[in-house]
Amino acid sequence: MKGKIYSLLLLLILAVALVACGNSGESKNNDGATKGEETEAKSTLQMALGQQPNTIDPLVTTATATAYAAKPIFESLLTLNENFEIAPMLAETYEVSEDGKTITFKLRSGIKFHNGEEMTADDVLASMNRWMEMSSQAKASLADAKWEKVDEETIELQLEEPSLIALFTVAEQNQQAAVMPKEIVEAAGENGVDEYIGTGPFQFVEWKTDQYIHYTKFEDYQPRTEPASGLAGEKIALVDDVYWNFVPDESTRISGLISGEYDVSIGVSPDNVQQIEATDGIEPEIWTYGMELLVFNKKEGVFTEQKMRQAINAALDFEAVLLASFGADHFFELEHGIFQPHMEDWYVDTGKDKYNQKDVEQAQQLLEEAGYDGEEITILTSREYPHYYNAAVAVQQQLEQVGLNVKLDIYDWATLLDRRSDPELWDIFFTGWDTQVIPHGYAFIDSKTEWAGWTNSLEMDELLEEIGDAATQEEAKVAVGKLQEEFWEYLPVVNLGLFKNTDGYSDKVSGFENFIGPTIWNVSVEE
């Protein structure tokens, strides 16, 4: 009897063990994968984008298409974390002297360029000097500063006076202070570098015009050890190859996303968000980009007259323009500030009385005072950015109702960028500007940048200097209040409000996010 009981107990134990083994094979981990099973990952990430850059050299242009395409390749001494705070990248550490006039950067050791060469202080020095020559913000904010090599692992930024904004300028991502090999920098011409070689997690392979840019994983990349945050911290290439496909037609991008041809589609118009939401296997990501801007040509033509600019600002119904641009109010915010409200160090309320006036009588009075006599007003626009195009059409209609003679010139985006550099060819164009961490990041405010539109305001220039020279953040914020008041008086641009971008991505994609554009490191794709 005892033997039978032991036999039954043994069988029961074995049965429980088998059930337990079976259950462990079916239990799920946090991301839904089965424990004990390897999740098959794709080695290639396929991106679809509407716009092709005219270069991948980030110093040549402020165009978003270039900044996005350059992100995987190039890195700078400093960068920005998810809170828009300064964080080191190629600098191991940085230190500001007691008098505030010298910033010392200790370089990370063992960092390699994509050509296999190790980064040196000479490479960094050459790169920073080129950046000082070409970056509109560096020229404006650090005009009298100098870079010096201290030793093989250290360089210094020497300032004429202490500057509240110097570190932010070095960390700025538009016209990024990209570190490249010295020989590449020295061989660069007016149109930029001939080879795209940086230190980033992905390296450039080829660019097939009108088709794609191909990146591949940089096997010798040395990531930082801090947790990933914004553009800072650990950056890991989790796929071997990335194809940056140029697909101007949005319906083609979306159909490719649905079919699985593309893993991510950058730029989904509000009209198509519902289609993304209703389709199994793909999801939208809606994120606040920055300001939707109407830019005036202040160098030639009717808008050299300030009252003409004020007339346009008085006439327009901003909400109607933004609704025409985006189709629904959850894709934009009526906001007059040059900073977002959550940015407490910089956000101010001045100038609000001149925002979204919708005052036709005031506009016509200003037109009369400006001496407008029916001159043709040319608006540059492109269908490659539907919301800019829609804004241009809406503004044309509103201005014609006020009595202005307005025509649209429609081009592909690359051609528009070329034409906007010639003040004889346009009067207005539309663009977006991502929210900056300092006011000096807005090239349309600073006269010294000579950015398209050609701002020339002594008052705003002096206020920018006052902000940079401020001893405290509180003092700087007071000056920002004065700057924003003058901004709405001088009107280098019309800030229509904040807008949101939408991207679509497969639910097989993990880790994808937008921070000052799409990031492709720390991103994986399941089979």
Side-chain angles (χ1 to χ4, degrees):
M1 185 68 174
K2 230 181 242 188
K4 286 184 179 179
I5 292 173
Y6 286 142
S7 297
L8 286 170
L9 285 172
L10 180 59
L11 287 171
L12 182 60
I13 291 167
L14 288 171
V16 170
L18 287 170
V19 170
C21 289
N23 285 343
S24 72
E26 293 301 322
S27 65
K28 301 287 186 178
N29 61 21
N30 289 335
D31 50 4
T34 303
K35 276 188 180 179
E37 294 180 5
E38 289 292 329
T39 301
E40 195 71 26
K42 289 174 66 176
S43 62
T44 301
L45 175 66
Q46 294 283 356
M47 309 275 291
L49 301 94
Q51 296 77 40
Q52 177 173 223
N54 53 10
T55 178
I56 312 178
D57 184 343
L59 296 186
V60 174
T61 176
T62 60
T64 297
T66 291
Y68 287 3
K71 264 177 74 173
I73 302 171
F74 299 110
E75 296 179 313
S76 45
L77 289 170
L78 304 176
T79 191
L80 300 169
N81 68 18
E82 60 189 10
N83 297 316
F84 291 90
E85 298 165 335
I86 294 163
M89 180 49 65
L90 291 177
E92 184 66 46
T93 59
Y94 61 93
E95 183 179 354
V96 181
S97 63
E98 286 189 15
D99 64 5
K101 294 183 180 182
T102 302
I103 305 173
T104 303
F105 298 89
K106 196 74 173 177
L107 305 178
R108 294 171 64 195
S109 60
I111 300 299
K112 289 188 177 181
F113 288 112
H114 299 152
N115 60 7
E117 297 177 4
E118 192 163 316
M119 181 187 77
T120 68
D122 291 324
D123 297 312
V124 177
L125 181 62
S127 298
M128 294 305 96
N129 284 334
R130 178 172 181 256
W131 172 68
M132 293 281 285
E133 293 171 4
M134 299 192 67
S135 163
S136 55
Q137 186 174 339
K139 286 190 287 188
S141 303
L142 303 173
D144 298 320
K146 292 182 180 180
W147 291 89
E148 295 287 346
K149 174 182 173 182
V150 177
D151 56 41
E152 297 304 321
E153 298 179 343
T154 313
I155 65 167
E156 287 181 348
L157 175 58
Q158 299 172 355
L159 307 170
E160 288 288 320
E161 298 293 337
S163 173
L164 187 75
I165 62 167
L167 289 170
F168 286 106
T169 305
V170 177
E172 170 61 51
Q173 294 302 298
N174 195 299
Q175 288 192 297
Q176 177 194 30
V179 175
M180 308 178 189
K182 180 181 178 183
E183 61 270 22
I184 300 296
V185 170
E186 291 178 343
E190 289 185 5
N191 296 323
V193 296
D194 294 326
E195 297 179 75
Y196 302 123
I197 296 176
T199 60
F202 290 93
Q203 62 189 70
F204 174 83
V205 178
E206 66 173 337
W207 181 354
K208 286 199 172 183
T209 304
D210 298 325
Q211 295 184 51
Y212 60 76
I213 297 171
H214 177 198
Y215 308 90
T216 192
K217 175 181 181 178
F218 180 40
E219 297 291 350
D220 290 331
Y221 182 69
Q222 297 293 323
R224 295 194 67 94
T225 57
E226 302 93 338
S229 173
L231 302 179
E234 186 179 54
K235 300 194 292 190
I236 305 292
L238 296 178
V239 294
D240 294 331
D241 295 279
V242 178
Y243 284 87
W244 204 260
N245 299 285
F246 305 122
V247 188
D249 181 65
E250 183 184 352
S251 62
T252 305
R253 294 200 301 275
I254 292 175
S255 63
L257 184 63
I258 293 171
S259 70
E261 181 181 1
Y262 306 123
D263 302 303
V264 178
S265 176
I266 302 298
V268 175
S269 69
D271 293 341
N272 290 315
V273 170
Q274 285 187 339
Q275 181 185 2
I276 297 287
E277 290 175 332
T279 304
D280 290 340
I282 58 176
E283 301 175 20
E285 181 185 14
I286 302 172
W287 56 285
T288 300
Y289 174 81
M291 292 182 283
E292 179 98 338
L293 300 178
L294 180 159
V295 183
F296 293 114
N297 176 357
K298 300 170 291 299
K299 192 171 188 178
E300 293 189 21
V302 295
F303 294 118
T304 56
E305 171 58 54
Q306 183 171 322
K307 287 188 176 181
M308 279 293 297
R309 304 195 297 272
Q310 292 174 342
I312 303 302
N313 185 53
L316 292 178
D317 182 338
F318 293 5
E319 186 171 12
V321 174
L322 291 170
L323 277 170
S325 298
F326 300 103
D329 57 11
H330 56 275
F331 294 107
F332 67 84
E333 298 174 35
L334 289 172
E335 172 54 61
H336 78 291
I338 60 175
F339 293 101
Q340 294 186 37
H342 69 271
M343 301 175 70
E344 295 181 2
D345 282 348
W346 296 108
Y347 183 79
V348 290
D349 207 32
T350 54
K352 194 171 185 177
D353 59 316
K354 297 182 177 68
Y355 179 78
N356 196 26
Q357 298 173 66
K358 298 179 285 188
D359 190 336
V360 172
E361 289 186 9
Q362 174 70 6
Q364 291 174 332
Q365 176 65 33
L366 287 164
L367 288 172
E368 185 177 340
E369 293 175 10
Y372 177 68
D373 194 27
E375 294 91 339
E376 186 174 68
I377 294 171
T378 299
I379 299 179
L380 283 182
T381 189
S382 171
R383 288 191 174 92
E384 290 183 20
Y385 285 96
H387 60 101
Y388 298 155
Y389 175 75
N390 293 339
V393 172
V395 166
Q396 180 190 34
Q397 293 171 350
Q398 289 191 23
L399 295 184
E400 286 176 344
Q401 291 173 1
V402 180
L404 282 81
N405 176 18
V406 184
K407 74 165 184 174
L408 300 184
D409 275 2
I410 305 168
Y411 300 95
D412 63 87
W413 188 250
T415 302
L416 184 150
L417 293 177
D418 288 336
R419 292 181 70 84
R420 79 179 187 184
S421 64
D422 187 340
E424 296 183 359
L425 299 179
W426 63 279
D427 299 293
I428 288 172
F429 78 91
F430 290 83
T431 192
W433 209 283
D434 55 334
T435 302
Q436 301 294 293
V437 290
I438 52 172
H440 306 69
Y442 297 114
F444 50 83
I445 289 179
D446 197 329
S447 303
K448 295 189 287 298
T449 65
E450 299 183 357
W451 184 75
W454 301 282
T455 294
N456 186 19
S457 168
L458 179 62
E459 291 83 359
M460 288 199 296
D461 288 346
E462 289 177 346
L463 286 165
L464 286 173
E465 288 186 17
E466 184 177 333
I467 293 164
D469 293 341
T472 66
Q473 184 64 45
E474 289 75 18
E475 287 182 16
K477 190 171 181 177
V478 171
V480 170
K482 299 175 187 175
L483 174 69
Q484 191 164 282
E485 188 75 54
E486 182 61 27
F487 168 88
W488 282 103
E489 184 70 25
Y490 176 84
L491 287 168
V493 301
V494 174
N495 170 20
L496 295 165
L498 287 172
F499 74 93
K500 301 177 183 181
N501 277 343
T502 303
D503 301 327
Y505 62 96
S506 165
D507 61 8
K508 294 182 178 180
V509 174
S510 298
F512 175 75
E513 63 177 18
N514 268 289
F515 185 82
I516 316 179
T519 57
I520 62 173
W521 53 81
N522 303 337
V523 176
S524 61
V525 188
E526 292 180 19
E527 278 289 359

